[in-house]
Each structure stands twice: as C-alpha cells, then as structure tokens.
C-alpha cells in the first residue's frame, strides 16, 4: 500500500507495460501467471463458469467463459461452492435494493477485474455502474469481452457483453492515488443514493481494507448499503486463536465497521443456503473462508456535509444582511 499526499493506493498492482508490442504482451501474460491475485480472480471466474454449467445452476454467467482458458470444462465439480452462494446473495441484494429504493441509480462494485456484473445483471434504466478494480486485469478482460465480435478461435471468442440499454458503466483503477476524486469526476455524487458491493478486490492487509471503508464512508450518503464478502484472514490479527469463534468474528466485524460509521450484520452461509431451492441446497459444499456481510451507513457523506455547510453559511449571511438593514 502506498500513500501520496494523504491519498491511498488500495493495492499496488503490477508495474505498467505497453500493449503495443508482442513482447510486452507476452511479458504481461507471464506477470499475470505469476501473480496470486490474478490467479485468485481466475479461480473465482472458474467457479462461476462451473456453476453456470451445472444441471441446476444457482446463477448463470453467460460471459465468463471467454475470460478463461479453453480447458475450463475439465474437472467440472458439481458441488455448490460458498463463493457462488455469496455471489448469488450479492446479486439478489443489489437488484432488490435498486428496485425498492427511490432515486437509487448509483452502483459501486469493488472487484477483481473479471467481474461481469455490469453486463449480466438486469440493471434498472439510468443506472450508473462504477467498477473499481485492477486496471490491467480489467483491460485484458474488456478486450476479450468486446473486441472480437466474430472471433473464430477459442482465444478470440467475444461474449457480446453490453451493459443494459439506458445504463452506463465506468472503470476506476484501484491503483489510483485518488479513487474518491476519480469516482466523482466520472459522475458519482455523494448527494444521491448509492449501493456498494465488495467481492474480489485485492487487499493485502487489514489496513488496506480500512482504507476502503474510509472511502465508502466519505462518499456514501447516510442510509446507503455496503455489502459483500471479506477473506476471514483479515480478522486473524485481531481475533487470533478465536478466529473459529463465530461470536468473536461478529464482535470484530461490528467494531471495525462501526468505527467508520456502519452498522453491520454478518450473514451466515447456511442462512443463505436455507433460502435456496431444495435441489441447490443439497449441493452446498463446506463453509467458506470468507465473511459475508451487509452494512448500513449511519453518517452523512462529505458531499452532504459540504452542501449543508454551504446552506448554513448562506442563511447566516442573509441574517447578517437583514440585521444590517434594520440598523
């Protein structure tokens, strides 16, 4: 994690390389193959691909196949992985909240760069989707999703991915020194409702996730939701030997989120599984190594505070002018 003039890098990703030569592309491919965060993103995409091709899919990702190696159909495990449970939970909560909240047109996704939610979810008209993720992974995925409309080889397959009509999608590099200002420059407003989802964005330690919490707290209006799944190892430093104690994890989560103005609820994977169709519930594998959560923001955003400060100053100045006229 790097800090420059008070601004925080969410994640120090790979050094920049040009896409304009075969040598550079080959070098980048080697870097990706050796990068554990990229490999984790591939593994998550593979889980979505396998679930999409199961006899009783909990979710269907029609685009993920073009992001994976051609041997992804091998070893198709039919168990329902906890990651897919979390993905289904997040998908449903995003769409339910969007449809039930007046004026909610802003979605911020914090992802690994291979997330296809901007394309595969049926967003309401006029939705703005902001995807904060590693830049190189995102651009490589975008090329595969959109650049080859009539590809004839496996490597050139295009999924025809397009964001729903009437909506717009914006990419924000997670390596940026000033994510908050970049979001706002692309049209995000802290005076309008938003919903935030965290799944897959690389974090190197607890401090880097605290930086994310700070960003969400600064930008999200009071009452906005922040949901997602966290790797459980983030709790290990504070919880220690009690990492397997559910009550200890819940207390750690409560304290962490409340320090940034969020009231959080931990969602158990078993609770999500109970709401599934019976056939899907039977396929659920072991409990995952992540913490599923949903949190409500209790503070006002920076933009809300600035609006009220400006209005209060205007009222004070008008009061001073009226008092002067009476004199």
């Amino acid at each position: 994690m790097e800090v420059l003039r008070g601004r925080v890098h969410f994640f120090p990703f790979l050094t920049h390389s040009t896409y304009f030569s075969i040598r550079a592309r080959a070098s980048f491919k080697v870097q990706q193959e050796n990068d554990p965060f990229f490999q984790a993103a591939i593994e998550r995409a593979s889980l979505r691909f396998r679930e999409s091709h199961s006899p009783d899919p909990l979710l269907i990702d029609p685009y993920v196949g073009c992001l994976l190696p051609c041997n992804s159909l091998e070893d198709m495990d039919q168990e329902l992985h906890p990651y897919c449970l979390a993905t289904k939970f997040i998908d449903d909560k995003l769409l339910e909240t969007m449809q039930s909240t007046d004026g909610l047109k802003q979605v911020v996704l914090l992802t690994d760069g291979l997330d296809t939610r901007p394309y595969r979810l049926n967003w309401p008209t006029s939705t703005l989707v902001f995807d904060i993720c590693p830049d190189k992974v995102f651009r490589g995925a975008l090329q595969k999703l959109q650049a080859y409309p009539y590809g004839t080889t496996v490597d050139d397959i295009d999924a025809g991915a397009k964001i729903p009509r009437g909506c717009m999608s914006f990419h924000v590099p997670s390596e940026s020194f000033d994510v908050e200002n970049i979001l706002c420059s692309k049209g995000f407003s802290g005076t309008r409702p938003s919903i935030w989802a965290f799944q897959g964005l690389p974090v190197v330690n607890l401090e880097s996730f605290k930086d994310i919490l700070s960003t969400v707290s600064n930008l999200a209006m009071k009452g906005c939701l922040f949901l997602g799944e966290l790797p459980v190892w983030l709790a290990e430093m504070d919880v220690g030997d009690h990492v397997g104690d559910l009550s200890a994890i819940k207390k750690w989560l409560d304290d962490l989120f409340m320090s940034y103005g969020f009231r959080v609820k931990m969602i158990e994977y078993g609770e999500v599984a109970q709401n599934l169709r019976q056939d899907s519930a039977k396929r659920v594998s072991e409990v995952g190594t992540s913490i599923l959560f949903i949190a409500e923001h209790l503070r006002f955003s920076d933009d809300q505070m600035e609006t009220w400060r400006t209005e209060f100053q205007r009222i004070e100045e008008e009061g001073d002018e009226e008092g002067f006229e009476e004199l």
Side-chain angles (χ1 to χ4, degrees):
M1 183 172 60
E2 301 178 20
V3 180
L4 180 64
R5 297 180 182 177
R7 300 296 182 180
V8 180
H9 244 155
F10 281 166
F11 171 64
F13 206 62
L14 305 174
T15 56
H16 289 287
S17 62
T18 180
Y19 285 99
F20 298 107
S21 71
I22 296 176
R23 181 178 179 182
R25 284 194 292 269
S27 174
F28 176 51
K29 184 176 181 180
V30 170
Q31 287 178 319
Q32 285 184 321
E33 290 174 350
N34 294 331
D35 182 70
F37 293 108
F38 177 76
Q39 292 305 314
I42 288 291
E43 176 61 25
R44 284 187 286 267
S46 298
L47 291 171
R48 296 199 306 275
F49 183 78
R50 293 172 187 175
E51 181 59 26
S52 299
H53 287 79
S54 70
D56 180 33
L58 180 64
L59 59 89
I60 296 177
D61 188 338
Y63 306 114
V64 70
C66 72
L67 305 176
L68 297 171
C70 59
N71 62 351
S72 296
L73 281 170
E74 299 176 2
D75 189 25
M76 294 289 283
D77 190 352
Q78 297 304 316
E79 285 192 335
L80 180 53
H81 194 277
Y83 164 78
C84 294
L85 276 178
T87 300
K88 174 64 173 174
F89 172 80
I90 294 169
D91 287 354
D92 290 349
K93 195 65 180 179
L94 284 170
L95 294 179
E96 289 170 6
T97 306
M98 293 289 292
Q99 292 165 0
S100 62
T101 306
D102 290 339
L104 178 52
K105 299 294 184 182
Q106 299 182 119
V107 181
V108 184
L109 307 174
L110 300 110
T111 74
D112 55 23
L114 299 183
D115 193 292
T116 59
R117 283 190 178 97
Y119 311 106
R120 66 179 175 81
L121 294 189
N122 188 23
W123 303 108
T125 303
S126 302
T127 298
L128 304 180
V129 182
F130 302 90
D131 188 1
I132 302 175
C133 62
D135 187 59
K136 286 187 175 180
V137 180
F138 171 83
R139 295 190 181 282
L142 190 65
Q143 286 183 343
K144 293 183 178 181
L145 286 165
Q146 295 182 335
Y148 302 98
Y150 300 106
T152 56
T153 69
V154 171
D155 290 337
D156 288 346
I157 290 176
D158 175 57
K162 292 181 175 61
I163 192 167
R165 185 181 298 275
C167 302
M168 298 184 70
S169 179
F170 305 91
H171 167 55
V172 178
S174 58
E175 307 90 336
S176 303
F177 293 112
D178 198 350
V179 169
E180 293 182 24
N181 277 340
I182 293 176
L183 265 173
C184 294
S185 71
K186 291 179 180 289
F188 181 87
S189 173
T191 59
R192 295 197 296 267
S194 59
I195 185 168
W196 301 64
F198 179 92
Q199 192 181 36
L201 180 69
V203 290
V204 293
N205 51 37
L206 181 57
E207 291 304 314
S208 62
F209 182 69
K210 288 180 178 180
D211 293 331
I212 294 169
L213 277 173
S214 177
T215 294
V216 181
S217 184
N218 290 342
L219 293 178
M221 282 182 63
K222 183 179 180 181
C224 290
L225 296 184
F226 179 32
L227 67 152
E229 62 171 349
L230 301 175
V232 73
W233 58 259
L234 283 176
E236 291 179 351
M237 182 173 294
D238 291 336
V239 178
D241 294 337
H242 300 287
V243 71
D245 184 346
L246 191 60
S247 61
I249 293 291
K250 287 183 176 179
K251 185 180 185 308
W252 171 82
L253 196 68
D254 288 342
D255 292 344
L256 173 63
F257 275 74
M258 186 56 71
S259 65
Y260 291 91
F262 291 94
R263 179 171 54 231
V264 68
K265 177 183 178 182
M266 180 175 169
I267 309 295
E268 297 186 35
Y269 287 87
E271 179 183 342
V272 179
Q274 288 176 0
N275 296 325
L276 300 179
R277 302 186 306 273
Q278 186 175 3
D279 290 344
S280 295
K282 290 179 180 177
R283 296 192 296 111
V284 177
S285 61
E286 76 284 349
V287 177
T289 56
S290 297
I291 302 169
L292 194 58
F293 71 90
I294 182 167
E296 179 186 1
H297 194 216
L298 305 178
R299 297 177 182 172
F300 297 113
S301 69
D302 288 352
D303 281 353
Q304 285 180 297
M305 294 300 295
E306 182 60 31
T307 298
W308 287 329
R309 276 193 293 266
T310 301
E311 181 64 15
F312 182 74
Q313 183 178 3
R314 183 188 65 79
I315 293 173
E316 275 195 328
E317 291 174 351
E318 288 180 355
D320 290 342
E321 291 176 359
E322 290 175 1
F324 180 78
E325 289 175 358
E326 291 177 1
L327 292 174

